Amino acid sequence: MAQTIKNLFTLIQFGGPLVGGVIALGTTVALPTVRRADLKQELKEARNQAVVWGVIVAPLGTAIIGFLLTEVVSGGVSCGF
């Protein structure tokens, strides 16, 4: 069970920045080709959300949850990663 949890958090930790970076890069590349102001605003919002959630929050959240699982003792045994 601990290995499954570890694999899940590893996927979030490395997959979040990968997906967030791809979305941010894609929206940055697409912005000059878009003419409509409302669509440009939506692309800028998507880029900002991708950076915030994918690049900052996912790795930080994974580190915090990993710390809690390794340091908090449940039933006398810690979930060591």
Side-chain angles (χ1 to χ4, degrees):
M1 182 69 171
Q3 186 65 36
T4 303
I5 294 171
K6 180 181 177 186
N7 291 342
L8 179 66
F9 287 121
T10 303
L11 180 67
I12 293 170
Q13 184 177 12
F14 296 117
L18 180 66
V19 172
V22 167
I23 292 172
L25 181 64
T27 56
T28 303
V29 170
L31 272 175
T33 63
V34 175
R35 291 183 181 261
R36 291 181 23 207
D38 59 337
L39 188 56
K40 275 192 179 190
Q41 185 63 30
E42 288 181 21
L43 286 174
K44 287 179 183 178
E45 289 175 12
R47 179 184 61 199
N48 294 340
Q49 289 291 324
V51 169
V52 168
W53 289 102
V55 178
I56 297 171
V57 174
L60 186 61
T62 304
I64 291 170
I65 292 173
F67 172 76
L68 290 175
L69 287 176
T70 57
E71 299 301 321
V72 174
V73 177
S74 68
V77 179
S78 65
C79 297
F81 286 144

